Amino acid sequence: MVNTFFIKMTKVLTDAPTIRIKGRSFLAVVLSPDLPLDEWLVRLDDLAARSAGFFLGRPVVLDVTDLAIDKLQLAELVAGLGQRNVRIMGIEGARPSMLGPGMPPLLKGGRPVSEMEQPPTEAAPTEPKQHPKKATAQEAGSQPQSIVINEPIRSGQSVIFPEGDVTVVGSVASGAEIIAGGSVHIYGALRGRVMAGSVGNSGARIFCRKMEAELLAIDGIYQMAEDMAPALRGQAVQLWLEGDMIMAETLS
Amino acid sequence: MGKVIVVTSGKGGVGKTTSTAALGAALAQRNEKVVVVDFDVGLRNLDLVMGAERRVVYDMVNVIQGDAKLPQALIRDKRLETLFLLPASQTRDKDALTPEGVEWIVGELKKYFDWIICDSPAGIERGATLAMRHADMAVVVTNPEVSSVRDSDRIIGLLDAKTLKAERGERMEKHLLLTRYDANRAERGDMLKVDDVLDILSIPLIGIIPESTDVLKASNVGAPVTLADARSAPALAYFDAARRLAGETLPITIPGDKRSLLGKIFGRKAA
């Protein structure tokens, strides 16, 4: 370690309270309707009759992947669910053109979780299968706490790993992003954006062989390329958080 | 079974169609059966560059929709016996391409041709993803400037995610074709240097095509540059790239390093 640079936030950021941007993951119930929709809604009513308030207070995502419906039918479906007090917070698998203003936003990149327990049923289970289940602490403990990626991260790709550290053996391109719950290690040039400690880990750090990042963030404190000390450009750098300030130093 | 190559770039205007035609004609001159396929439905150009625009009767969409048989839509080149063109439709849009239709056409073409070269439209939407879907290898056409490089990077990501090969867990072979390269401008810093581009994209280089008026001249007379003027600098670079595609190992020359006559004249002028 040769030099220590204290990177000052821009004046605006130090004078005004900083804006914290964080990643956080929530478990959502995913409803995957099938055709014909009116029959499916009847089965949904049946489920709701057995356990009132099953959807109450839960984030619900509508998965319409492979469902042959058009924009109008989708709007009707969302309205129909609304009448049943099922409020849809996002839609998965729809074409952007199917979602006009007033419709829930499009969601992407959902990962399946093991089946969610359903209210007791006597009849054959006719419900959609993709009910996620709350991950227990135990399950979280058994998951890997770090991932290693042996390829460059290309423009437009995003790596989201809230569980822990991300190591990339290769470069992160301009327009690519990495969001990690823990630290991020890049054995290559960092030209894209990295958000470390995204789930509230202020001890997370960012390491890279060649600093050319567009945006960096640790625990929601972020910094744009133009606010970075020019002397860090092109250098091997590590970054960490002290209070509300991102600190950086070159690695030798 | 033939090999399917997609010529793609993300960005428009970097030389996909020119390169498709030039590589197709170069491979066909090796006496291999080649078909160049235009995937740019609605904005077709390959027929013009191949000089076949007045011979288009049926196109790929006609074949997909069952209005024509595949051999009826194939146009044989007048200069090269082994070179064929499958044109795109100009009156439709990309939605006329169906995944099943494209799969069938590529499957059929593989039976009869050694090389199927798919000219991808710009962008990352339906036309581009369908063009790359069945590819065995990809030629990523890039100009030495930042926006083209970043778009190529995006396309490489898609090649590794959205192609059949990637979905089967296999590795897509990707090659970088650097076009419109001007050694003097790169030296002056007006353009990215070869090493800069390779550093960012990190895929093997298959050729560097020098910026040249020969390319435009060839397009305007409706001939691939490897047919119009086989001894011009861009044609020689395309011939070498085609040999590398066919599996030969050749050293890559960076135009300008060799100091061709043209390079010398321009080099002096710049100095």
Side-chain angles (χ1 to χ4, degrees), chain B residues 209 225-226 229-242 244 258:
Chain B
I209 313 299
V225 68
T226 42
D229 185 358
R231 281 183 304 175
S232 64
L236 293 174
Y238 275 120
F239 277 119
D240 279 359
R244 290 185 196 101
K258 221 168 55 183

Side-chain angles (χ1 to χ4, degrees), chain B residues 183-184 187 254-268:
Chain B
N184 293 312
E187 205 47 58
I254 298 179
D257 275 11
K258 221 168 55 183
R259 290 271 146 194
S260 62
L261 186 63
L262 207 69
K264 259 183 201 161
I265 296 164
F266 283 127
R268 292 235 177 90

Side-chain angles (χ1 to χ4, degrees), chain A residues 9-248:
Chain A
M9 308 303 297
T10 55
K11 200 144 183 15
V12 182
L13 286 182
T14 34
D15 289 351
T18 46
I19 297 170
R20 291 208 157 199
I21 302 173
K22 293 186 182 185
R24 193 161 291 173
S25 60
F26 296 89
L27 276 161
V29 177
V30 177
L31 282 176
S32 317
D34 38 49
L35 296 172
L37 289 175
D38 40 355
E39 279 180 27
W40 181 80
L41 282 171
V42 171
R43 298 207 299 273
L44 186 76
D45 288 337
D46 184 41
L47 174 83
R50 282 198 309 274
S51 76
F54 178 70
F55 296 106
L56 215 63
R58 289 183 200 258
V60 181
V61 171
L62 195 60
D63 180 4
V64 294
T65 314
D66 300 329
L67 197 67
I69 56 172
D70 60 21
K71 187 176 177 174
L72 194 68
Q73 287 171 304
L74 183 63
E76 280 171 4
L77 177 61
V78 171
L81 288 165
Q83 282 164 14
R84 290 164 173 82
N85 284 325
V86 181
R87 295 189 56 195
I88 305 297
M89 59 161 290
I91 294 182
E92 201 181 9
R95 289 190 307 279
S97 60
M98 288 165 69
L99 303 174
M103 291 288 281
L106 190 64
L107 287 181
K108 273 183 199 162
R111 279 171 301 169
V113 190
S114 44
E115 301 264 313
M116 177 178 251
E117 69 272 26
Q118 277 195 23
T121 48
E122 294 86 29
T126 49
E127 254 311 283
K129 284 189 177 153
Q130 293 235 315
H131 283 312
K133 176 178 159 188
K134 256 203 153 97
T136 62
Q138 239 181 357
E139 274 176 5
S142 64
Q143 277 169 0
Q145 298 299 297
S146 68
I147 49 167
V148 177
I149 299 165
N150 278 313
E151 290 167 351
I153 312 295
R154 304 284 180 183
S155 187
Q157 292 179 333
S158 53
V159 175
I160 301 170
F161 189 69
E163 292 86 356
D165 290 8
V166 173
T167 304
V168 180
V169 187
S171 296
V172 178
S174 161
E177 67 178 4
I178 296 179
I179 302 173
S183 297
V184 177
H185 311 256
I186 295 154
Y187 293 91
L190 166 53
R191 302 187 177 96
R193 34 171 74 194
V194 166
M195 296 168 205
S198 68
V199 286
N201 177 1
S202 58
R205 292 187 177 206
I206 299 170
F207 303 84
C208 67
R209 279 255 280 268
K210 193 175 177 194
M211 166 61 68
E212 282 172 12
E214 292 166 346
L215 181 143
L216 296 163
I218 301 175
D219 188 19
I221 302 288
Y222 75 96
Q223 188 157 52
M224 300 293 298
E226 39 194 49
D227 304 330
M228 283 171 219
L232 293 176
R233 296 244 131 211
Q235 303 295 309
V237 171
Q238 71 154 323
L239 301 115
W240 70 97
L241 203 59
E242 269 183 33
D244 272 359
M245 189 122 71
I246 292 182
M247 316 291 276

Side-chain angles (χ1 to χ4, degrees), chain B residues 20-37:
Chain B
T20 302
L23 290 173
L27 286 166
Q29 286 176 67
R30 296 162 57 95
N31 256 335
E32 293 176 67
K33 283 193 88 180
V34 180
V35 59
V36 288
V37 185

